[in-house]
Coordinates of all heavy atoms in Angstrom, one line a residue:
Chain A
P437 N 13.7 -11.8 1.7 CA 13.1 -11.4 3.0 C 11.7 -10.8 2.7 O 11.5 -10.2 1.7 CB 14.1 -10.3 3.5 CG 14.9 -9.9 2.3 CD 15.0 -11.0 1.4
E438 N 10.8 -11.0 3.7 CA 9.5 -10.5 3.5 C 8.9 -10.1 4.9 O 9.4 -10.4 5.9 CB 8.6 -11.6 2.9 CG 8.5 -12.9 3.8 CD 7.7 -14.0 3.1 OE1 7.4 -13.9 1.9 OE2 7.4 -14.9 3.8
V439 N 7.9 -9.3 4.8 CA 7.2 -8.8 6.0 C 6.2 -9.9 6.3 O 5.5 -10.4 5.5 CB 6.5 -7.5 5.7 CG1 5.6 -7.0 6.9 CG2 7.5 -6.4 5.3
T440 N 6.1 -10.2 7.6 CA 5.1 -11.2 8.1 C 4.2 -10.6 9.0 O 4.5 -9.7 9.8 CB 5.8 -12.5 8.7 OG1 6.6 -12.1 9.8 CG2 6.7 -13.1 7.7
Q441 N 2.9 -11.1 9.1 CA 1.9 -10.6 10.0 C 1.2 -11.8 10.6 O 0.9 -12.8 10.0 CB 0.9 -9.7 9.2 CG 1.5 -8.4 8.7 CD 0.5 -7.5 8.1 OE1 0.6 -7.2 6.9 NE2 -0.5 -7.1 8.9
T442 N 0.8 -11.6 11.9 CA 0.0 -12.5 12.6 C -1.1 -11.8 13.4 O -0.8 -10.7 13.9 CB 0.8 -13.4 13.5 OG1 1.6 -12.6 14.4 CG2 1.7 -14.3 12.7
P443 N -2.2 -12.4 13.6 CA -2.7 -13.6 12.9 C -3.2 -13.2 11.5 O -3.2 -12.0 11.2 CB -3.9 -14.0 13.8 CG -4.5 -12.7 14.3 CD -3.2 -11.8 14.5
R457 N 0.0 -8.0 14.9 CA 1.5 -8.1 15.0 C 2.1 -8.2 13.6 O 1.6 -8.8 12.7 CB 1.9 -9.3 15.9 CG 1.3 -9.3 17.2 CD 1.7 -10.5 18.1 NE 0.9 -10.5 19.3 CZ 1.2 -9.7 20.4 NH1 2.3 -8.9 20.4 NH2 0.5 -9.8 21.5
C458 N 3.3 -7.6 13.6 CA 4.0 -7.6 12.3 C 5.5 -7.8 12.6 O 6.0 -7.3 13.6 CB 3.8 -6.2 11.6 SG 4.9 -5.8 10.3
V459 N 6.2 -8.5 11.7 CA 7.6 -8.6 11.8 C 8.2 -8.0 10.5 O 8.0 -8.6 9.4 CB 8.2 -10.0 11.9 CG1 9.7 -10.0 12.0 CG2 7.6 -10.6 13.2
P460 N 8.7 -6.7 10.5 CA 9.2 -6.1 9.3 C 10.4 -6.8 8.8 O 11.0 -7.6 9.5 CB 9.5 -4.7 9.8 CG 8.7 -4.5 11.0 CD 8.7 -5.8 11.7
I461 N 10.9 -6.4 7.6 CA 12.2 -6.9 7.1 C 13.3 -6.4 8.0 O 13.3 -5.2 8.4 CB 12.3 -6.5 5.7 CG1 11.3 -7.1 4.8 CG2 13.7 -6.8 5.2 CD1 11.2 -6.7 3.4
W469 N 1.5 1.2 9.0 CA 0.3 0.5 9.0 C -0.7 1.1 8.1 O -0.8 2.4 8.1 CB -0.4 0.4 10.4 CG 0.3 -0.6 11.3 CD1 1.2 -0.3 12.3 CD2 0.1 -2.0 11.4 NE1 1.6 -1.5 13.0 CE2 0.9 -2.5 12.4 CE3 -0.6 -2.9 10.6 CZ2 1.0 -3.9 12.7 CZ3 -0.6 -4.3 10.9 CH2 0.2 -4.7 11.9
S508 N 12.4 -6.6 16.6 CA 11.9 -7.3 15.5 C 10.4 -7.1 15.2 O 9.9 -7.1 14.1 CB 12.1 -8.8 15.5 OG 11.6 -9.3 16.7
N509 N 9.6 -6.8 16.3 CA 8.2 -6.8 16.2 C 7.7 -5.3 16.1 O 8.3 -4.4 16.6 CB 7.5 -7.4 17.3 CG 7.7 -8.9 17.3 OD1 7.1 -9.7 16.6 ND2 8.6 -9.4 18.2
F510 N 6.5 -5.2 15.4 CA 5.9 -3.9 15.3 C 4.4 -4.1 15.4 O 3.8 -4.9 14.6 CB 6.2 -3.3 13.9 CG 5.6 -1.9 13.7 CD1 5.8 -0.9 14.6 CD2 5.0 -1.6 12.4 CE1 5.2 0.4 14.3 CE2 4.4 -0.4 12.2 CZ 4.6 0.6 13.1
C527 N 0.8 -4.2 7.3 CA 2.0 -3.7 7.8 C 3.0 -3.5 6.6 O 2.9 -4.3 5.7 CB 2.6 -4.6 8.9 SG 4.2 -4.2 9.5
S529 N 7.1 -2.0 5.5 CA 8.4 -1.5 6.0 C 9.2 -1.0 4.8 O 9.0 -1.5 3.7 CB 9.2 -2.5 6.8 OG 9.6 -3.6 6.1
Y539 N 7.6 -2.3 1.4 CA 7.2 -3.7 1.3 C 6.1 -4.1 2.2 O 6.1 -3.8 3.4 CB 8.4 -4.6 1.6 CG 9.5 -4.5 0.7 CD1 10.5 -3.5 0.7 CD2 9.6 -5.5 -0.3 CE1 11.5 -3.5 -0.2 CE2 10.7 -5.5 -1.3 CZ 11.6 -4.5 -1.2 OH 12.6 -4.4 -2.1
F540 N 5.0 -4.7 1.7 CA 3.8 -4.9 2.4 C 3.8 -6.4 2.9 O 4.2 -7.3 2.2 CB 2.6 -4.6 1.6 CG 2.2 -3.2 1.5 CD1 3.0 -2.3 0.7 CD2 1.2 -2.6 2.2 CE1 2.7 -1.0 0.6 CE2 0.9 -1.3 2.1 CZ 1.6 -0.5 1.3
G541 N 3.2 -6.6 4.1 CA 2.9 -7.9 4.5 C 1.6 -8.5 3.9 O 0.9 -7.7 3.2
P542 N 1.3 -9.7 4.2 CA 0.1 -10.3 3.7 C -1.2 -9.8 4.3 O -2.3 -10.1 3.7 CB 0.3 -11.8 3.9 CG 1.1 -11.8 5.2 CD 2.0 -10.6 5.1
G543 N -1.1 -9.1 5.4 CA -2.3 -8.6 6.0 C -2.9 -9.4 7.1 O -2.7 -10.7 7.1
T544 N -3.7 -8.8 8.0 CA -4.5 -9.4 9.0 C -5.9 -9.0 8.7 O -6.2 -7.8 8.7 CB -4.1 -9.0 10.4 OG1 -2.8 -9.6 10.7 CG2 -5.2 -9.6 11.4

Side-chain angles (χ1 to χ4, degrees):
Chain A
E438 58 184 16
V439 177
T440 59
Q441 291 184 242
T442 55
R457 303 180 188 279
C458 168
V459 179
I461 294 173
W469 284 101
S508 59
N509 292 283
F510 180 50
C527 173
S529 69
Y539 291 85
F540 283 74
T544 292

